[in-house]
Structure formats: structure tokens, C-alpha cells
Amino acid sequence: MLVPVFTLKLNHKILPRMVALGRYDGTHPCLAAATQAGKVFIHNPHARGQRINTNRMVQSNQDSDISLLNINQGITCLTSGVLNPQLGYDCLLVGTQTNLLAYDVSDGANAIVLGKLGDISPPLAIIGGNCALQGFDYEGNDRFWTVTGDNVCSLALCDFDDDGKTELLVGSEDFDIRVFKEDEIVAEMSETETITALCPMYGSRFGYALANGTVGVYNKAARYWRIKSKNQAMSIHAFDLNSDGVCELITGWSNGKVDARSDRTGEVIFKDNFASSIAGLVEGDYRMDGTTQLICCSIDGEVRGYLPGGEEMKGNLMDTSAEQDLIRELSQKKQNLLLELKNYEENAKAELNTQLKEADGQRGLIPANTQLQTALSVNLGSDSQSAHVELCISTTNDTIIRAVLIFAEGIFEGESHVVHPSLQNLSGCVRVPLTPPKDVPVDLHIKAFVGYRNSTQFHVFELTRQLPRFSMYALSSPDLATEPLSFVNCTMNERPQRIVMWLNQSFLLPEDAEFQSAPFQVCFTSLRNAGQLCIKIKPGGEISINTDDIDLAGDIIQSMASFLAIEDLQVEADFPAYFEELRKVLVKVDEHHAVNQRITADMAELSNLIRSMLVQAEDARLLGDMKNMKTRYSELYDLNRDLINQYKIRCNNHTELLNNLKAVNQAIQRAGRLRVGKPKTQVISACRDAIRSNNFNTLFRIMRVGTASS
């Protein structure tokens, strides 16, 4: 049984997901964590009474091993590591909504990671904020910047493609995990909730946690396994707890449980319990005895360290109570199987006295050639039901479907859906409406109970059907469709037949389209908002995509490029309505900056007046001039009220500024998604340069043609 090798009771609360371990003097490992009131405490048990060298730390009277760092702002993320290799010691990085230590970060800091990224030589402090990613070196230089699809929630560095260089894993609020090879996206994985945590494991494997209590492991873009809990995963970490040479996924939960799962199967090999929620998991030689411990911290300040299990444990890290739980679980399964066997025997005896056909029906016997068939089609809806994709499940004979269970990510609440027709409506066909919220391919895992009306036992049929990526678009007549003004034009050196093959695979068509001759045109209507989409193949390999939805245009370009294995693709694009909205947002950003500067100046002036008024009021009090003192304090009250009002206005202005900056960053990311490969990277970089120089005309030209030159 694995037990803690040390336990600490620190008299400080710990904020979730804000724990780090570092050697800030180059020698002694110290535990750092964010605590209440905008402070960070550092626990250093190795030098009793000594103060860690920093001019912003004060010694705590409660515990001589703890020093407090006053940040005086709400802390949003925290990490440690080597930022300047020449110094030889770790650096503690603290992020707030507006700052990364002394470095100004206008997009905020929601997540932070420290390490080397790709071919960028110095280690970087990489922060994720308001749809943007920034990387700073030890001198504070901005060495890396790019945009992502939504607000960043988690970051990790991992050798995703096994090339010996680390890539950046980014989890965001739009349920996507994106992999950046420096500033180029090389992979995207869609999940079912916000990605709250990421951690590198072994090679190209990495662990992840979602806001709905799901944890799991990916190997590159393929998911190995996942489990879902009713509790929330507060922190995940990779650590070789059973000494088999491969890291397990360690998870700290909101109910105080810590468990370790095999990276290959997800099987629990160890678990322990704290009295309160887990705040963070780190590793290090905290006892300085040459062995690395797994260190678990709870929000109440309890810290436990675990050594990896030795050979004498033979991988058995569970305590006896857990083994007893497993025995009870297996015993229950045994009882259930015995009961099921008994039911089969009783049914067999009862059926000997009935006619063969009736007996066949009750036993659930069905013809050997019975098959389960599925069909997907577009249903334009009615007055009582909105437009949707219809899944039809049917049998090939007179058998009936008693119930259907469908597992699908991102379509149903809880990821599963059960159809259980009433006895009066039993038939050999069940229709299920599907409305996927996003344009991603989805695997439908279907289980159906098949038998006869009088059956008491049913056969279970299992099959998998994939829902095409653009299934929520209904084929429409080009003559009746109104062609959108917005467009994307590009040239592909591909046979038109290959593009039509992609079309048949990605959309739900009544029958497969065939390419006869150029020009070739196909039109669709969105089932979500009735928006129009037209795809044209012109002579010479020119492709034209007409839609007012810039996100849809980007998805089509990325899907087509992936299917046709296109590495680099430049396009010409124009979205008049969207670009006009973006121009208004850019004007608002300038207005918010101007308002912020004016309010800051006004608040500074009010602060000086308050300081002067306070001195006058105290002078009057010391002189015994009560009338003048009351007057000054009354004026002081009014000034303070004005200062508070100015602060509220500044906060509201800052919130609106962040929302507009998010819209700008998303616009840059959308313009990038219209391209593939190097043109995509160049567009994102050029857009940022145009915004820095405040040249809006150049920005829109870059978004349209991909370059700033005329």
C-alpha cells in the first residue's frame, strides 16, 4: 500500500490550479501557491528563518518557513521554471488579468506555461489570454504571438509529432484542443466541454481534463481513453507512480480524491482522499534526498508527498479497502450472472409447453438474416419541428425495434440519447432527429434492441455510422438560390472529380454528385439559419465558395485542404458585411483606449486632491478647528465618491475593451483559417503588424488578398 512520506499543514488557503514547485535559489526546492487577497506564498522548509531573495516578500508571523509575495491583484495563473538559462535558477511567474509580473499584457493572462517552443532558442513564458497567445523571454521581449479561436483556458508543451521539438497545446472555451508548431496550427481536436487542464505525458501522449468532469489521454490526434466523473478535475499531472518507466495520469478532484490511472487503459492503480478539494499537483525532490516525490496540495493548505512504489509492491499501490471494494464489485457481478442464468433456465422450462412459434417470439429468437440498417437524410422540418438531420434505423424483416441507444459527442446532452417507443407505436423503424451545433464529423454509436412484439428477451445490434461534417446543409436548386455577396476564390491543382468526391463525403446528398464538365455548381441552405452556400468549380482549377458566414468558409477550406492533402493555399476573399462590423469594432477599440487614458488622468488628479484634502483635514483637527475639519472631510467624502464612480466607469470600459479585443483577435484567426500552411501564418503575422501600426486599410487588404502589397 502506498502511503505519504510527508504531510504538511500550512495555515494558508490555496487557490485551485495555482501551485508550482521551483528552485528559486538554484538549490532548494520551494512550494509556491496563490492564496487569498492577491498574495502568493512560498514554503521553504530547507533554510529555517532565511528569507528568499526578493524585494517584494515579507516574512509571515504564522510560519517561519513561509514567505508572502504581495501581488495586490487577482491572480489568474502561476507557474515556475528556467526562463534565463544563464542564471541557473528557476523563475516564478504570476499572471493576472492585466499583467505578467512586470510585463504588460493587454489581452489578459488566463493560463501560463514555461519552456522551449520549437526552434525558438530561449525558454519562453507563454501566456494564453483573450483569444491570443504571447511568449516572453527573460528580458521581457515579445518573441511569440498568435491568435486562437476563443479564450484560452489551459496550456502545455509536448512533442506532439515526435520530431524532437515541443509544440504548444492550447485548450479553449470553444471546446477545441489546438496544436501549434510555433505559430502554425498542425492539429485540432474537438471535445464536448471547455478544456480546463492539459499535461504532457510520454512522447506524443498528453492528458486533458474538461469542465464536465471528463479526463483522458490522447496520443497525437487519437484519443486512447476517457472517463467521466460527477466531480470536477481540478488538476492533472503525469508521474510514474508504480515505477514501470511510463507516467500515469494523476488527477486531483473537487471532492478531495487523488487517483492515478494507466496511460494506456485508464485503469485506476492508486487513489487517496483529502478532506477538501485538490488545488494542485506538482513533483520534485522536496526532501532533498535524491528521490522525486509527487506532491499533492488541497485548498485548505494540506500538502502530502508520495514516493513511487518500489519493486516490493509489485505494482500493487491500492490499499486493502480498495481491494475489498473490488471483491465486492466482482461478487455482485457474479450474483447478477447467476440470476440471469437462472432466468434462462426457467424460461426454457416454461417454453416447453407452448407452441413453437409463440415460444420463439418469447425467447426472442429472430431470423438469422435479420440486419439493422441506418440511413441519414435532411429533414426541412415543419411548423412544429425545426429543420434537422434525420437518422432512420430499421430492420430488414417483420421484427420490431424495442429501444435504441445512441452515443454521440457534442450532439446530445450527456452525450447519449435513448429512444423507447410505447407499446402502441412499436415498429421496425425508428427515426431520430439530430441537430449538431458545430460543423464537425461525429461518430454515432448505435445499440438497438430487436425482437418481436411479444418477446421478453431481445437481441442487441451494435453499429457505428459517421455523420458527415457539413450534414446541416440541405441541397438546393442553383436557380432558386440567392448567391451571397461574400466569397472565397482559390486555385487548386486537383482534378475536379476529386473535389466532387470530397463533396459527396462531406455533405448529405440525396444521391452522389458527378462531375460532367466545368463550370460545375452546387448550392446548399443552412438548416440552422437558412444562410446560402454555393460552391463552384470553374475551368482551370479555380474554386469559388460563396457564403456570408466566414467561419463556414474557413471550415470548408480546411476540410477540402485536408482531404486533398494540400499543404499551402492562398486565397482571395471578401466579406463586406463582416468587415464593416470589424471596422466598427476597431473604432470602438480606439475609443476605449482614449477613454481609459482620460479616466486614468482624472483618477490621478482626484487622488492628488484627496491626498491634499486629507492633509488639510488632519491639520484642522490638530489645530482644533472643528468647523474647517468637518468641511474638509465632507469634501473628502465627495471626492472619494467621485473616485469610486470613476473606477466603476473604468472597469466597465475595460470589460468592453476586452470584448472588442477578443472580436479583433477572432477576426485575425478567421482570416487565417481561409488559408492553409505558410500563407495562413503570413496573414496572421501581417494582420498583427497592421494593427500595431494602426493601419486599418492595410489590415482589410491583408484579410482580402493575403498580403499588404498592392
Side-chain angles (χ1 to χ4, degrees), residues 7-271:
T7 300
L8 304 172
K9 299 287 187 179
L10 306 180
N11 297 322
H12 292 272
K13 298 286 186 180
I14 300 177
L15 300 183
R17 303 187 181 95
M18 298 189 201
V19 180
L21 191 74
R23 299 176 185 267
Y24 307 116
D25 60 357
T27 305
H28 302 97
C30 302
L31 187 68
T35 186
Q36 297 170 327
K39 296 179 181 179
V40 173
F41 76 75
I42 296 185
H43 180 252
N44 178 18
H46 311 293
R48 301 286 180 183
Q50 295 183 12
R51 186 178 303 177
I52 298 176
N53 186 20
T54 172
N55 58 358
R56 297 185 66 188
M57 290 190 181
V58 295
Q59 202 71 18
S60 170
N61 293 326
Q62 296 179 351
D63 192 338
S64 61
D65 293 339
I66 290 180
S67 299
L68 291 176
L69 173 61
N70 293 313
I71 305 298
N72 295 324
Q73 292 187 54
I75 300 169
T76 56
C77 52
L78 180 146
T79 192
S80 66
V82 176
L83 190 57
N84 184 357
Q86 298 176 356
L87 296 180
Y89 54 78
D90 292 337
C91 183
L92 177 64
L93 301 177
V94 181
T96 70
Q97 282 298 332
T98 54
N99 296 95
L100 172 61
L101 289 181
Y103 311 129
D104 185 55
V105 185
S106 61
D107 287 319
N110 300 333
I112 187 170
V113 67
L114 196 157
K116 289 198 64 176
L117 174 62
D119 291 321
I120 302 175
S121 55
L124 297 179
I126 303 172
I127 62 164
N130 200 13
C131 297
L133 299 163
Q134 291 176 273
F136 300 95
D137 62 15
Y138 66 93
E139 294 179 334
N141 299 319
D142 190 351
R143 300 292 299 270
F144 170 77
W145 183 91
T146 190
V147 292
T148 186
D150 208 334
N151 291 335
V152 178
C153 299
S154 52
L155 296 171
L157 291 167
C158 172
D159 186 7
F160 182 81
D161 54 4
D162 290 326
D163 63 348
K165 302 173 185 177
T166 55
E167 285 74 43
L168 179 64
L169 308 178
V170 181
S172 53
E173 289 182 354
D174 60 358
F175 307 171
D176 282 349
I177 301 173
R178 296 178 176 88
V179 183
F180 286 83
K181 196 173 186 66
E182 294 188 12
D183 52 3
E184 179 186 355
I185 296 180
V186 295
E188 292 185 63
M189 290 78 76
S190 292
E191 278 296 333
T192 57
E193 252 292 353
T194 299
I195 294 89
T196 56
L198 294 166
C199 75
M201 299 189 70
Y202 174 77
S204 58
R205 298 178 192 173
F206 63 92
Y208 73 96
L210 307 181
N212 62 2
T214 298
V215 296
V217 169
Y218 273 92
N219 184 27
K220 296 185 178 178
R223 186 166 55 207
Y224 264 23
W225 57 267
R226 63 170 179 157
I227 62 99
K228 188 174 181 180
S229 170
K230 63 181 180 181
N231 300 300
Q232 189 174 2
M234 306 304 294
S235 180
I236 59 175
H237 188 74
F239 188 78
D240 183 10
L241 200 60
N242 59 359
S243 301
D244 64 349
V246 179
C247 289
E248 286 74 47
L249 182 65
I250 317 297
T251 307
W253 299 90
S254 57
N255 64 344
K257 185 176 74 170
V258 175
D259 60 35
R261 295 178 180 271
S262 166
D263 72 317
R264 293 172 289 273
T265 64
E267 177 188 1
V268 177
I269 64 169
F270 167 74
K271 63 181 178 181

Side-chain angles (χ1 to χ4, degrees), residues 80 99 148 154 179 248 298 309 391 397 423 427 460 464 486 493 534 549 582 597 608 643 658:
S80 66
N99 296 95
T148 186
S154 52
V179 183
E248 286 74 47
S298 75
L391 171 64
N397 48 36
L423 291 174
S427 68
V460 178
T464 299
S486 304
N493 296 322
C534 296
D549 187 343
L582 178 60
Q597 291 176 356
N608 291 331
L643 184 63
L658 288 181

